[in-house]
Amino acid sequence: MTTTLYAGLAGDTDPRRFMSSGLLRSRNGGAWERSESGFPNAPQTFALLADIRRPGEVFAATQDGIFASADHGDSWTRLDAPKPEFAVWSLTRHPHEPHTLFAGYEPTAIFKSTDNGRTWHDLDVTVGYPAITAGMPRRITRIAVDPTNTDRIYASIEIGGLIMSEDGGRSWRQALDGLYVVEDAVDLHSVLVDGEGKVSVTTRVGAFQSSDNGRRWSKLPVPPLREKGSYCRVLGQGPADTLYLGAGNDFDGDLGGFFRSTDGGASFHRLDLGAPLKSTVFAMVVDAADPRRLVCSDKFGHVFLSEDAGDSWRSHPLPRGIGHVFSIAIG
């Protein structure tokens, strides 16, 4: 079986920040190569979706819309999804309906497909937002469907908090509410739900968890990489109660950390990947076919692979000079 790693390059859509672009792949552990045939221009690849159980199939979310490949990235076709004003930031597959996909946009919008991406329809995500976020950009950074109650869907927003639906996406409400002096705690980068009422989110100042479907929250004990708390970016679910978390000391920081919890988030331990992380860990993926297998990357393109749930690692860096990795996939 061919195993392919994909790495997507992008950046913040804020014009004041650096923007990179590109899509690369590595087949069976070989050299990284460009995989952009069929895109109208160099893609700013914000999210990737692949599954080793669906050989050859991979989806890419870009500034021009959503693209798909059926041949491990040899060629790409643009899907009939709306072109975003800025970018498509997230892609998620339904946990029990293999042909149902969700896509998160900037400005805030969610589109759903029930035919594996051929057609899409808009979900009405009209909600209120914390007042402190008024006038700030809002993008759907992650969509998570509760595997034991698929009517319950969560979406993390950078910058705007966490919204949720309890009727399959027909209506939505804000799941984070309160009085905020600054927007740190509602600048969300990822959301993960384990199906037992436990929801975890990452923010600019750490990670938080709810054990009652988002009604009450507590801060997770992620080791701080800066005084006000680690800039936490990505979450992944490993075997049993294992959680993985990628972080750093800022969006454009010079220090990264990859953490593991084996008790559902009650404690975290920083993993030694065999080389220093010189920027925030922006991308990671857990193999859906084997949750002991995972890949992570810092922003500068230092890619690391583990076959044993993070106990040991090997490095597979992108070519020198290639960076701003926003997404990783295994397919």
Side-chain angles (χ1 to χ4, degrees):
M1 177 188 295
T2 298
T3 300
T4 307
L5 295 182
Y6 304 90
L9 311 181
D12 198 310
T13 50
D14 187 327
R16 295 170 295 177
R17 294 188 184 271
F18 175 77
M19 173 63 74
S20 186
S21 63
L23 179 56
L24 296 92
R25 70 178 177 186
S26 167
R27 289 184 283 192
N28 294 326
W32 291 97
E33 60 185 1
R34 292 278 180 175
S35 174
E36 298 166 7
S37 176
F39 289 96
N41 51 34
Q44 297 162 20
T45 312
F46 294 89
L48 291 162
L49 181 63
D51 188 333
I52 203 166
R53 298 169 299 186
R54 303 169 71 90
E57 181 183 87
V58 59
F59 298 88
T62 77
Q63 83 280 19
D64 288 316
I66 305 171
F67 293 77
S69 174
D71 51 18
H72 298 280
D74 285 342
S75 60
W76 294 85
T77 302
R78 182 174 175 173
L79 299 179
D80 188 25
K83 185 173 180 178
E85 182 177 341
F86 293 108
V88 184
W89 275 81
S90 53
L91 292 170
T92 298
R93 189 182 297 279
H94 192 286
H96 305 310
E97 299 172 11
H99 294 297
T100 297
L101 307 175
F102 298 89
Y105 278 56
E106 181 188 4
T108 302
I110 297 177
F111 289 85
K112 179 180 179 181
S113 171
T114 57
D115 53 14
N116 211 40
R118 286 189 292 276
T119 60
W120 299 78
H121 68 273
D122 187 11
L123 301 181
D124 183 359
V125 293
T126 302
V127 297
Y129 294 101
I132 194 66
T133 68
M136 296 181 179
R138 295 195 181 108
R139 57 189 71 113
I140 303 286
T141 51
R142 181 73 177 176
I143 301 166
V145 182
D146 187 329
T148 61
N149 179 1
T150 56
D151 279 341
R152 189 177 294 130
I153 307 170
Y154 299 86
S156 56
I157 301 177
E158 183 185 31
I159 304 168
L162 180 72
I163 61 174
M164 67 176 295
S165 172
E166 295 182 284
D167 55 13
R170 291 185 294 277
S171 63
W172 297 78
R173 64 176 175 83
Q174 180 65 247
L176 294 180
D177 197 9
L179 300 174
Y180 301 97
V181 178
V182 294
E183 74 276 12
D184 284 340
V186 286
D187 182 7
L188 267 61
H189 305 135
S190 187
V191 57
L192 183 70
V193 57
D194 74 353
E196 298 180 358
K198 187 183 292 184
V199 185
S200 305
V201 297
T202 56
T203 79
R204 192 190 300 167
V205 287
F208 297 81
Q209 190 174 84
S210 169
S211 59
D212 56 7
N213 301 310
R215 293 179 180 86
R216 293 177 297 273
W217 296 85
S218 59
K219 191 169 185 178
L220 294 178
V222 179
L225 298 178
R226 60 179 178 176
E227 184 176 351
K228 69 176 182 177
S230 291
Y231 179 94
C232 294
R233 194 75 200 183
V234 286
L235 282 166
Q237 181 75 56
D241 288 330
T242 301
L243 294 179
Y244 302 105
L245 189 149
N249 61 349
D250 210 341
F251 179 90
D252 288 319
D254 57 1
L255 175 66
F258 194 71
F259 302 95
R260 179 176 65 186
S261 171
T262 56
D263 50 19
S267 62
F268 282 86
H269 173 68
R270 190 174 182 178
L271 297 179
D272 181 359
L273 306 188
L277 290 166
K278 297 182 179 180
S279 63
T280 296
V281 175
F282 255 65
M284 71 156 294
V285 64
V286 178
D287 187 346
D290 179 4
R292 292 178 56 81
R293 187 167 186 247
L294 65 149
V295 184
C296 70
S297 173
D298 71 7
K299 205 173 179 185
F300 290 163
H302 302 123
V303 179
F304 300 89
L305 300 87
S306 176
E307 305 283 349
D308 53 13
D311 287 340
S312 63
W313 296 84
R314 59 186 174 90
S315 176
H316 190 37
L318 293 175
R320 190 174 183 85
I322 293 179
H324 261 226
V325 178
F326 266 54
S327 52
I328 290 281
I330 305 173

